[in-house]
Amino acid sequence: MDIPIQQIENVLQYTEGQAYFLSGIPGMGKTRLALEYCSKHPESLYFSFQHLDAAFAPMIFASRYPEIFGSCGDWQNFFTALKTYAKETCPTIFFDRGGNLKEQDSFYTELGEFLDANSSSKVILVGRPWEKIPLSCTDIEAEVMTMPKLADLYSLKDEAAAEIFSLTAGLPELLSAYDLEKSFEENVRTMLRTDSVFYRLAIDWMNVCFRTPESYNTLLYGMAQGKNRINELSAFSGYPKNKCDKYIKALIEHGLVRREDGKNGHSKYFPANSYFCLWYGALFTAVPNADGSFREETFRTFMDYFNGTVLKDFYRKLCIHWIKNNLNHDTHCYIDTDDPSNYDIEIGDVNFDFAAVTDTGYYAYFDSTFGGGLTSQLWKEIDQATTQQLPFYQNEYYLLTVNRVPDSFWTLSKQYDNVHIVQRKSLFAEFKKDYNKIAHPKFVPSFVGRNH
């Protein structure tokens, strides 16, 4: 937690505000971060509204620090005591789980007066992005761990970091449950228990956001099964389209669903991250044993879904990232690699992950599933499909693969300069480039660039 604590310290030091909003989706470890900060800075104070009524909270908060507050019974007395304490120590004060407080609650009135009277004090309100804070606040956004950062901080091989990231979606609370001393499969087995944070997070998240999560669960389950358009979700769930639209907007607002604009302006909807894909794709309908564990069949289903859907999707994103950053280096004219209509193009018997034709044809095929691989039959189909429109020598072929490249394909790439093979290590190198520029800037000697 040292890095995010430093982030908070920097924000407090280099901004002039007094009130801050530390926001993040569930699973970001915001409460733990606040407590770790207070442990490092003993003069700081931490209060949580969890399970508390706004009018009852002052008494509970006062009992946490009786030497400061005595026996306060309301917010006016609470903040009067806090003013006295703040004049001597200039503390950072955390108020966590304030999402149920209303704007008219006297807490905010007294907090505003406290801030006006104590310009040197800092108050950090901790909550979720969709919660409304009726104060002018400087935002501090908790961020998920990225795959490049995982690999860097824990000295992991890129492939291992990709697996862990895809399993946890980079959420700190899930990462905290991962044991680097154990194998990936051992960690999965540990997480597949009803008392694990991995199993509970999705359930708790839904219960916090919705009074009746069952209806929303149906839509998320449908998305994980490949029903990603409104009409598909309506048919799958039995809900009218307008009801699906309303529910999906609420799911997006609460960080549970993401939207992608597809071809011809038709939107698709997906679980917000890889964790929700896994939970709804492989755990939602699984029945646990009496002791909270799951059968071996559930583990196998989970691993099959992980490798065949979630991890494949991660490597597909790496391939898309490479195409966006490199394709136009080889083109004679600009190709819009952000245009969704250029992706997932079926030509003949081949589904190309990217295809764009001008005076030259540009075709990309992503071999993004481990255990798959490029085959001679695949190349015959690619050749046959693409030469129907333009001759072979007017096309550029990009074969991006996570598997071992067969010798026959290396021969092709050496024989024809329009056949480009991109290996897994190159995909990772491109994906990590921006991170490494910031985390590991190259040293430039002072004499470089001098005028002689």
Side-chain angles (χ1 to χ4, degrees):
M1 302 297 291
D2 289 343
I3 290 176
I5 287 175
Q6 185 178 8
Q7 178 190 359
I8 288 181
E9 291 170 339
N10 290 340
V11 171
L12 295 181
Q13 182 177 355
Y14 296 111
T15 59
E16 296 181 355
Q18 284 183 269
Y20 299 82
F21 182 37
L22 173 59
S23 67
I25 56 177
M28 291 304 300
K30 302 180 295 297
T31 296
R32 182 169 51 166
L33 172 58
L35 292 172
E36 288 280 348
Y37 182 96
C38 291
S39 178
K40 185 177 180 181
H41 301 274
E43 74 283 357
S44 298
L45 304 176
Y46 173 84
F47 306 98
S48 175
F49 285 97
Q50 186 175 20
H51 308 312
L52 294 180
D53 177 79
F56 183 61
M59 290 181 282
I60 302 300
F61 288 178
S63 66
R64 179 173 172 81
Y65 303 98
E67 69 281 5
I68 300 174
F69 298 98
S71 56
C72 295
D74 56 40
W75 287 120
Q76 184 176 13
N77 288 329
F78 176 87
F79 279 104
T80 297
L82 189 58
K83 289 176 186 177
T84 302
Y85 175 74
K87 287 179 181 179
E88 300 175 357
T89 58
C90 301
T92 300
I93 306 153
F94 290 86
F95 290 103
D96 197 357
R97 305 293 185 98
N100 293 329
L101 294 177
K102 299 177 181 178
E103 185 174 352
Q104 62 268 26
D105 285 336
S106 59
F107 167 78
Y108 283 113
T109 302
E110 297 296 334
L111 175 58
E113 293 181 5
F114 167 79
L115 291 171
D116 291 339
N118 295 269
S119 59
S120 59
S121 295
K122 306 285 187 179
V123 170
I124 299 180
L125 300 159
V126 184
R128 302 178 178 93
W130 55 84
E131 294 173 350
K132 307 300 181 183
I133 302 298
L135 284 176
S136 178
C137 297
T138 300
D139 289 331
I140 307 174
E141 185 176 353
E143 298 178 352
V144 299
M145 183 76 74
T146 63
M147 175 262 142
K149 195 170 185 177
L150 269 176
D152 187 24
L153 289 181
Y154 299 104
S155 301
L156 298 171
K157 292 183 178 179
D158 290 332
E159 293 79 4
E163 285 187 327
I164 297 171
F165 175 80
S166 297
L167 177 68
T168 63
L171 295 169
E173 287 300 294
L174 300 184
L175 287 168
S176 69
Y178 195 94
D179 188 349
L180 290 172
E181 299 298 318
K182 296 180 179 179
S183 70
F184 182 80
E185 288 199 358
E186 287 176 315
N187 274 283
V188 171
R189 290 184 185 278
T190 300
M191 292 180 176
L192 294 188
R193 290 190 54 85
T194 57
D195 57 357
S196 72
V197 64
F198 186 90
Y199 187 79
R200 290 297 315 172
L201 178 60
I203 298 171
D204 294 342
W205 194 329
M206 292 295 291
N207 287 335
V208 164
C209 296
F210 305 110
R211 292 181 180 177
T212 56
E214 297 79 12
S215 300
Y216 300 89
N217 280 335
T218 301
L219 295 177
L220 278 162
Y221 178 63
M223 293 175 198
Q225 304 303 315
K227 315 297 183 183
N228 304 115
R229 299 187 187 278
I230 285 285
N231 59 339
E232 294 173 337
L233 289 166
S234 177
F236 177 81
S237 64
Y239 304 153
K241 290 183 181 179
N242 62 338
K243 186 175 183 179
C244 284
D245 186 63
K246 177 182 176 181
Y247 281 4
I248 288 172
K249 286 179 180 177
L251 287 165
I252 292 173
E253 178 186 355
H254 290 89
L256 291 151
V257 164
R258 60 182 175 86
R259 167 183 167 176
E260 287 187 7
D261 292 325
K263 303 173 186 177
N264 304 319
H266 296 297
S267 297
K268 289 185 176 182
Y269 302 94
F270 301 88
N273 54 44
S274 57
Y275 166 68
F276 282 117
C277 286
L278 276 170
W279 205 93
Y280 283 95
L283 275 182
F284 178 63
T285 59
V287 179
N289 298 320
D291 63 356
S293 65
F294 286 89
R295 295 182 298 171
E296 182 68 16
E297 179 185 349
T298 300
F299 172 77
R300 291 298 164 198
T301 299
F302 185 94
M303 290 303 298
D304 288 344
Y305 190 88
F306 175 80
N307 290 311
T309 300
V310 174
L311 194 59
K312 177 183 178 181
D313 184 60
F314 173 83
Y315 279 108
R316 175 176 163 78
K317 289 175 181 175
L318 258 63
C319 293
I320 292 174
H321 184 85
W322 191 96
I323 288 292
K324 288 184 176 183
N325 284 19
N326 292 274
L327 181 67
N328 279 301
H329 295 169
D330 299 330
T331 60
H332 303 295
C333 61
Y334 176 75
I335 302 295
D336 187 359
T337 55
D338 288 319
D339 185 349
S341 66
N342 288 331
Y343 290 89
D344 294 322
I345 308 296
E346 189 171 346
I347 304 174
D349 295 328
V350 183
N351 187 69
F352 289 94
D353 294 275
F354 180 91
V357 180
T358 56
D359 56 339
T360 302
Y362 298 94
Y363 301 96
Y365 182 88
F366 303 162
D367 176 34
S368 55
T369 304
F370 280 107
L374 306 173
T375 65
S376 299
Q377 179 60 30
L378 172 64
W379 177 253
K380 289 179 182 178
E381 293 173 357
I382 290 175
D383 185 23
Q384 182 177 1
T386 57
T387 53
Q388 296 294 317
Q389 187 165 354
L390 292 172
F392 175 80
Y393 62 85
Q394 283 188 242
N395 294 323
E396 296 287 338
Y397 300 92
Y398 297 85
L399 304 168
L400 288 68
T401 181
V402 300
N403 294 293
R404 177 187 171 276
V405 180
D407 293 341
S408 59
F409 277 81
W410 285 124
T411 301
L412 272 173
S413 67
K414 291 176 181 178
Q415 185 176 357
Y416 303 107
D417 60 6
N418 61 338
V419 178
H420 314 278
I421 295 175
V422 184
Q423 294 178 277
R424 187 170 63 211
K425 62 181 180 181
S426 297
L427 296 175
F428 276 119
E430 184 63 47
F431 188 67
K432 296 168 63 178
K433 188 181 292 183
D434 290 340
Y435 170 82
N436 287 330
K437 284 179 182 178
I438 298 172
H440 304 289
K442 293 182 179 179
F443 172 72
V444 180
S446 59
F447 59 80
V448 172
R450 287 181 183 173
N451 294 321
H452 296 287

